[in-house]
Amino acid sequence: MAKVKTGVSPRLSRMLEELQEGVEDGLVPAWIFNDPELFELEKEKIFSRAWVYLAHESEIPKPGDYVLRYVLDNPYILVRGEDGVVRALLDMCRHRGMRVCRAELGNASHFRCPFHGWTYRNDGRLIGVPAEREAFGQDFNKEEWGLVPIPRLEAFDGMIFGNLDPEAPSLAEWLGDIRWYLELVTKRSPQGLEVLGPPQRWVVHTDWKLALETFLSDSYHTLMTHRSLIELGIAPKDAKYAMYGEQIHIPGKGHGSMVVGAPPGAKLPPFWGYPEEMLERARTSYPTPEQFETARETRILLVTLFPNFSFHNPIRKPDHKYQGAVPMLTFRVWHPLGPGRIEIFSWALVEKDAPEWFKEKTRHSYLRFFGSSGTFEQDDTEIWSHVAHNAATPQGRHLRLNYRMGLKLEPDPNWPGPGVAYGLNFTDANMRNFHRRYLEMLLS
Amino acid sequence: MFTLTNEFTTVTIEKVQTRNGERLRISAPRMGYSVELDPLELEALTWQPVETFSRLLSTPFGPDEEGVEARPLSDLILFGGEHG
């Protein structure tokens, strides 16, 4: 483990040593969830160097389609040019730095700055300057003054990521073996996924690492946090339903997955409850037979990519009467706004070639359970905000929190996928792996 | 008539009848410009690359006035100037 570097204040240096001492032992000081100085370091060491999820390609399918997306507070116009190429352009006019594009989504061949009218083509080139000759002279070269592209932009199976670090490793290298688990949804159908509308967005007074944890390793909270849904008959009767699965982490990367099957005795349809025709398509669509067999036995699948992307793909009952099942898929970004404050970007997605009736049902399922109005979401955000509040209190900040669940578990040697798998999903193994990677980046 | 809007501008589009035919009137109400295109002109638009429109937008607020020289205000207020 690296030594805590100089260059940070003595206060932060002491704090990082405290984190370093406990991380292998599953002890995490509460202040990591709400500290202004640490947040500044996270911005510099993590979010300025990490691959951050921006959008799904189906959000910008046609030339001129754009969405605004953010890496930290840097606004990027993610736009498909007239040439079909997707670019991420810093939304900052080269003349005086104004935003040239302020609608969160739209379609435009050109962007005209509202300050002085400098006009850019949607590939970023500056093409129009009011009173160009009088104002800037004959030798003004517009080619030198285009919008600035993000240093790195790469995609994996329609998922578009950006990186502020020109020296960053490739996206493929960054993802590593977690791709096997991503493919369980991206390659479930030969046509891939599409978004069901723009992302829902809302602000929560919590830390990005707390929100992410729920999706990376915490199946344990469903016992209590979501108890009302069990009582309503919406979640399976067995409150430990999310325990019956494998928890897998990718060492050195910080990524992880939870692959949950059916609770013992529960009559849940295979393959998340997706329609039979989709199951048949998946048989040939998945790259490997192991992925198909894993998918067939899966009822709930979660994947989290370091640092702040997660997806959740659970089987869901359509209502409390539970006639059949309607699975749903949500992608989300835990976008850091400041210490103890995040904005959640939450998308619903479905296979492009799913039947239309199913697309409508799965959208309803998402709206009922996730997204800004979702029942699960209400439960989670209420709790996350109180934890973040306590983490900033003088008495609470140095409490060491218990990340020791499953510390004695042995890896499952029979798991067919890559990474280190544990045969019981009540473990903090994925979070311990996350904290190791987190600390490594903070200290690098 | 229908209106097309994005965050940068608004245009109105309508079919107008001439005595013997029809044209498409495209208006930019905020700019005060309007053009009436016949089917042949519209057809010609269908094979224009984006570069054509970038060229048209090189003056983002309409055409620059040709032959207008920018002159310093001092030209007008100095004794012995043109208005003296």
Side-chain angles (χ1 to χ4, degrees), chain A residues 315-358:
Chain A
I315 193 169
R316 280 283 163 255
K317 301 177 181 186
D319 55 45
H320 64 285
K321 298 193 200 82
Y322 195 17
Q323 301 299 314
V326 181
M328 49 145 283
L329 171 63
T330 176
F331 278 17
R332 52 240 346 251
V333 166
W334 317 105
H335 178 61
L337 292 176
R341 210 157 152 266
I342 64 171
E343 183 173 5
I344 298 176
F345 286 64
S346 171
W347 295 258
L349 296 96
V350 69
E351 277 65 19
K352 276 184 194 155
D353 52 7
E356 285 306 313
W357 65 265
F358 178 79

Side-chain angles (χ1 to χ4, degrees), chain B residues 19-68:
Chain B
R19 182 182 176 85
N20 298 333
E22 51 194 13
R23 286 197 172 205
L24 194 72
R25 181 186 293 150
I26 304 174
S27 308
R30 283 152 49 179
M31 292 282 196
Y33 289 105
S34 181
V35 66
E36 292 182 6
L37 304 175
D38 78 342
L40 202 57
E41 290 172 307
L42 287 166
E43 183 184 66
L45 285 182
T46 64
W47 59 73
Q48 295 307 318
V50 66
E51 286 75 10
T52 302
F53 300 98
S54 293
R55 198 167 59 248
L56 298 176
L57 281 164
S58 64
T59 53
F61 299 110
D64 279 348
E65 300 263 350
E66 283 300 317
V68 175

